[in-house]
Amino acid sequence: MSILKTLFFKTENDEETTAVKWINIVLVTVIVLGIFHYAFSRLDYPYNWAGIIEKYKYKFMLGFSMTLIISIFSLMASFIVGTLLVFGQRGSFLPTYYFARGFTEIIRGTPLIVQIYLFYYVIGTAFGIENRYLMGVLIMGIFSGAYVSEIIRAGIESINKTQLETARSLAFTKFQTYRYIILPQVIKRVMPPLAGQFASLIKDSSLLSIIAVNEFTKNVQEVDSLTFSPIENYCILAVGYLILTYPISHLSKYLERRFSYGN
């Protein structure tokens, strides 16, 4: 009984050996794969994995690469938009304050698919922007930027006010206060929700297929219309997005440790 407790239950100090960790990972993996194998084997479905991958691997790779490029630029754009909205909300100039607040509420309160149609077909047409890839990056940057701004704002406001009063008593400038007191703590606190938001952004970019952006989802849909093999195609799609989002989770954990004073 004590062996089972050691293998499958956390100790009081929540420490576990490498062997115990891998035993549990392998066990969970085997169970999950067994469930999926049973479910797929019960289907009366002619699988054609080798044929689809061999014939359309270039199209899959092209769509994956385009999603990666769009996601990278959208991540940068969303962080810039989010930071500007935070400055607007925390500034003393009322027009920018109300614009930032109203803009954030509108973007967060409306569906992304509506925003894609509105920005691309209305605003993009009005300003003569015909490049759907550029518009895709801008749309995703604006959409995610509204959420990023709220994450950053909440992180800043979570700092105890006594720390800010102490900084003023030590004659810190506003820049020094942010540089040495606020930002080191905010980065650690907002990293996990930011990682989740960035992963959601990558997955939400699949909606850009409705304006004919040839990203991963669009290319998979085109292959599916030719092969009529939805299980193979959408399993490939799921694995592709997992490859994109999984590193973000690990990066956020690394940065969390990097900016933690306790370590």
Side-chain angles (χ1 to χ4, degrees), residues 64 67 202 216 234-246:
F64 182 87
T67 292
I202 293 173
F216 198 22
Y234 285 100
C235 282
I236 292 172
L237 183 66
V239 171
Y241 278 107
L242 183 62
I243 291 173
L244 287 173
T245 56
Y246 189 71

Side-chain angles (χ1 to χ4, degrees), residues 48-209:
N48 185 26
W49 293 98
I52 291 174
I53 294 174
E54 180 64 28
K55 187 174 181 180
Y56 297 102
K57 62 182 178 181
Y58 173 76
K59 196 167 183 63
F60 291 140
M61 292 173 63
L62 182 64
F64 182 87
S65 301
M66 185 54 63
T67 292
L68 179 61
I69 293 171
I70 291 174
S71 299
I72 290 173
F73 284 102
S74 297
L75 291 177
M76 293 188 292
S78 65
F79 191 77
I80 293 172
V81 171
T83 302
L84 292 176
L85 289 174
V86 170
F87 284 141
Q89 293 184 48
R90 294 186 62 81
S92 57
F93 189 55
L94 289 179
T96 57
Y97 169 79
Y98 285 110
F99 171 80
R101 289 295 302 168
F103 183 85
T104 301
E105 293 300 326
I106 291 172
I107 295 298
R108 296 178 68 216
T110 54
L112 175 57
I113 192 170
V114 174
Q115 296 174 29
I116 292 174
Y117 279 117
L118 178 65
F119 279 108
Y120 183 71
Y121 290 108
V122 179
I123 297 177
T125 302
F127 286 91
I129 304 176
E130 299 180 356
N131 189 319
R132 61 175 62 92
Y133 296 94
L134 174 60
M135 284 300 299
V137 170
L138 293 176
I139 292 168
M140 297 308 302
I142 290 171
F143 173 75
S144 183
Y147 290 88
V148 170
S149 69
E150 287 299 285
I151 292 172
I152 297 175
R153 182 187 62 80
I156 294 174
E157 293 181 354
S158 68
I159 304 299
N160 197 309
K161 291 184 179 180
T162 57
Q163 297 186 44
L164 305 182
E165 293 172 358
T166 302
R168 283 194 292 269
S169 68
L170 295 173
F172 274 32
T173 64
K174 195 169 186 178
F175 174 79
Q176 290 174 322
T177 302
Y178 272 89
R179 168 66 180 84
Y180 296 107
I181 296 177
I182 296 178
L183 285 182
Q185 298 180 74
V186 168
I187 290 174
K188 179 178 181 294
R189 296 181 184 185
V190 305
M191 200 56 63
L194 277 181
Q197 179 56 39
F198 288 156
S200 297
L201 184 152
I202 293 173
K203 292 181 290 184
D204 290 340
S205 67
S206 61
L207 288 176
L208 295 177
S209 60

